[in-house]
């Protein structure tokens, strides 16, 4: 083991809070997201945001803060009671759908704060400072869905408890695609855990420090808030969380510094653009016990009937 374990100070105790930014405009899904939040687009029969909240709660993060923006009321409504719908389902005796409808409102203790100005992920995280206080917390992005059969957050929480500081999740990507992500320079620590020495947000093609890319799961030391308050706008003119993490990586452990990472090799589904969204929906639908068999049969028949020119396209 080459990495030195850090002190615990503000990192003592179980992490229970998670910040989930949901204020984005979802422009890649227009016109569907003109009036519907992208986080509410269904993945099979459940909105993407519910998958993320369920993952958080399953990891013990029952105190959920959603950082919202204008035109995001549908998200709040989804996690609220729907008395008329519940009554109608109850009167019909449809207990299964009633159970599924009510699940979203009992997942955890859900709070909301508005971001106001769209100033980037770092600013969205900073909006959670008052709610989080002086304790470590998680950040989850709604574009990344992690398969519950390959739990990532519990492992990250354990790493943060042992090493202190902050913990991020990394995946290996094709070097030709590294410029699409925040990328990390790392040193070995133990097994699938590495110590982060540098971070670059969406490096220019061919300049990435590695093919290890950041995905949307973080466990952060509260020192990140002070860093974010002084972080200048970076790529895209936005306050980048990656830039703040780079600063934390170079800070002493007794000041909340140090960044470790879990290199994740499990099943992850990306809903960040149209093609990946479709792949995610097909993948999850194919594995459903109630839909999978018939859906897989349809897919096989559909592909077999495609004319050659469509397959080539």
């Amino acid at each position: 083991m080459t990495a030195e374990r850090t002190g615990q100070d503000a990192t003592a105790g179980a992490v229970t809070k998670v910040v989930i930014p949901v204020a984005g405009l979802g422009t890649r899904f227009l016109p569907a997201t003109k009036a519907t939040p992208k986080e509410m687009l269904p993945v099979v029969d459940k909105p993407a945001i519910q998958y993320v909240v369920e993952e958080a709660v399953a990891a013990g993060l029952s105190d959920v803060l959603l950082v919202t923006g204008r035109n995001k009321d549908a998200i709040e409504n989804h996690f609220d009671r729907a008395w008329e719908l519940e009554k109608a389902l109850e009167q019909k005796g449809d207990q299964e759908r009633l159970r599924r409808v009510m699940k979203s409102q009992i997942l955890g203790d859900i709070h909301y704060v508005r971001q106001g100005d769209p100033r980037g992920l770092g600013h969205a995280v900073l909006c959670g400072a008052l709610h989080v206080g002086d304790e470590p917390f998680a950040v989850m992005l709604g574009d990344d869905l992690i398969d519950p059969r390959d739990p990532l957050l519990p492992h990250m929480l354990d790493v943060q408890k042992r090493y202190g500081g902050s913990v991020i999740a990394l995946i290996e990507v094709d070097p030709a695609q590294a410029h699409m992500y925040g990328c990390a320079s790392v040193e070995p620590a133990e097994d699938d855990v590495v110590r982060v020495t540098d971070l670059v947000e969406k490096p220019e093609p061919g300049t990435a420090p590695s093919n290890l890319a950041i995905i949307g799961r973080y466990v952060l030391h509260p020192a990140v808030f002070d860093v974010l308050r002084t972080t200048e706008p970076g790529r895209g003119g936005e306050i980048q969380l990656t830039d703040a993490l780079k600063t934390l990586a170079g800070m002493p452990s007794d000041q909340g510094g140090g960044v470790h990472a879990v290199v994740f090799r499990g099943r992850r589904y990306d809903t960040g653009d149209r093609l990946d969204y479709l792949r995610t929906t097909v993948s999850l639908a194919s594995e459903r016990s109630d839909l999978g068999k018939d859906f897989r049969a349809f897919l096989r028949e559909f592909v077999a009937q495609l004319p050659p020119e469509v397959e080539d396209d």
Side-chain angles (χ1 to χ4, degrees):
M1 186 179 302
T2 60
E4 180 180 352
R5 297 176 189 269
T6 66
Q8 297 303 297
D9 59 285
T11 66
V15 178
T16 61
K17 295 181 179 180
V18 57
V19 174
I20 305 177
V22 292
L25 297 176
T27 54
R28 283 175 287 185
F29 287 88
L30 287 170
T33 50
K34 178 181 178 181
T36 301
K38 69 171 184 176
E39 297 83 7
M40 289 300 297
L41 295 179
V43 179
V44 189
D45 56 2
K46 188 165 61 178
I49 186 60
Q50 185 169 334
Y51 287 90
V52 178
V53 174
E54 288 177 355
E55 179 190 346
V57 174
L61 307 176
S62 58
D63 188 334
V64 180
L65 178 68
L66 298 178
V67 182
T68 70
R70 294 182 66 250
N71 301 321
K72 298 286 184 169
D73 293 346
I75 296 176
E76 297 188 31
N77 291 338
H78 179 71
F79 292 104
D80 199 358
R81 295 294 300 271
W83 298 99
E84 299 87 350
L85 177 58
E86 293 170 23
K87 184 176 180 180
L89 292 172
E90 189 173 4
Q91 289 176 342
K92 291 171 60 176
D94 194 339
Q95 295 301 315
E96 174 57 24
R97 286 190 174 87
L98 178 61
R99 181 190 65 80
R100 288 157 59 188
V101 164
M102 295 184 67
K103 181 178 181 180
S104 62
Q105 68 204 32
I106 60 174
L107 281 174
D109 189 8
I110 300 180
H111 309 268
Y112 304 89
V113 64
R114 286 207 174 193
Q115 183 175 4
D117 297 327
R119 297 171 57 193
L121 176 58
H123 181 259
V125 172
L126 186 55
C127 289
L130 186 61
H131 182 83
V132 169
D134 188 26
E135 57 185 274
F137 65 104
V139 172
M140 303 173 68
L141 305 188
D143 289 347
D144 285 315
L145 307 185
I146 303 298
D147 196 300
R149 293 169 294 185
D150 301 313
L152 171 60
L153 264 178
H155 187 21
M156 295 177 66
L157 293 168
D158 178 65
V159 172
Q160 198 278 334
K161 183 177 180 180
R162 291 187 288 117
Y163 285 95
S166 298
V167 180
I168 63 177
L170 300 173
I171 59 169
E172 295 179 338
V173 299
D174 185 331
Q177 297 181 328
H179 68 281
M180 301 168 59
Y181 299 84
C183 293
S185 293
V186 303
E187 295 177 349
E190 55 172 294
D191 300 328
D192 58 351
V193 179
V194 295
R195 188 177 73 86
V196 175
T197 59
D198 195 15
L199 291 161
V200 181
E201 177 63 23
K202 295 183 179 178
E204 293 298 324
T207 67
S210 74
N211 70 329
L212 293 175
I214 305 170
I215 60 172
R217 298 295 181 270
Y218 310 79
V219 181
L220 303 179
H221 190 284
V224 71
F225 293 128
D226 285 337
V227 174
L228 284 169
R229 291 186 182 101
T230 59
T231 298
E232 295 293 326
R235 189 173 182 87
E238 298 181 335
I239 298 175
Q240 298 290 347
L241 181 59
T242 302
D243 294 340
L245 287 165
K246 177 176 180 176
T247 300
L248 285 173
M251 288 171 48
S253 60
D254 60 0
Q255 297 179 20
V259 178
H260 285 79
V262 172
V263 181
F264 181 62
R265 297 183 174 87
R267 285 160 283 198
R268 163 185 173 261
Y269 309 102
D270 187 350
T271 62
D273 62 43
R274 292 174 298 172
L275 183 57
D276 285 331
Y277 172 81
L278 292 172
R279 288 172 174 151
T280 297
T281 301
V282 170
S283 296
L284 295 183
S286 296
E287 296 186 354
R288 286 272 294 260
S289 60
D290 57 340
L291 300 171
K293 182 179 179 180
D294 292 340
F295 187 56
R296 291 192 299 271
F298 159 75
L299 288 176
R300 285 191 288 266
E301 181 179 351
F302 176 75
V303 172
Q305 293 178 352
L306 285 176
E309 62 271 18
V310 174
E311 290 184 343
D312 290 342
D313 289 345

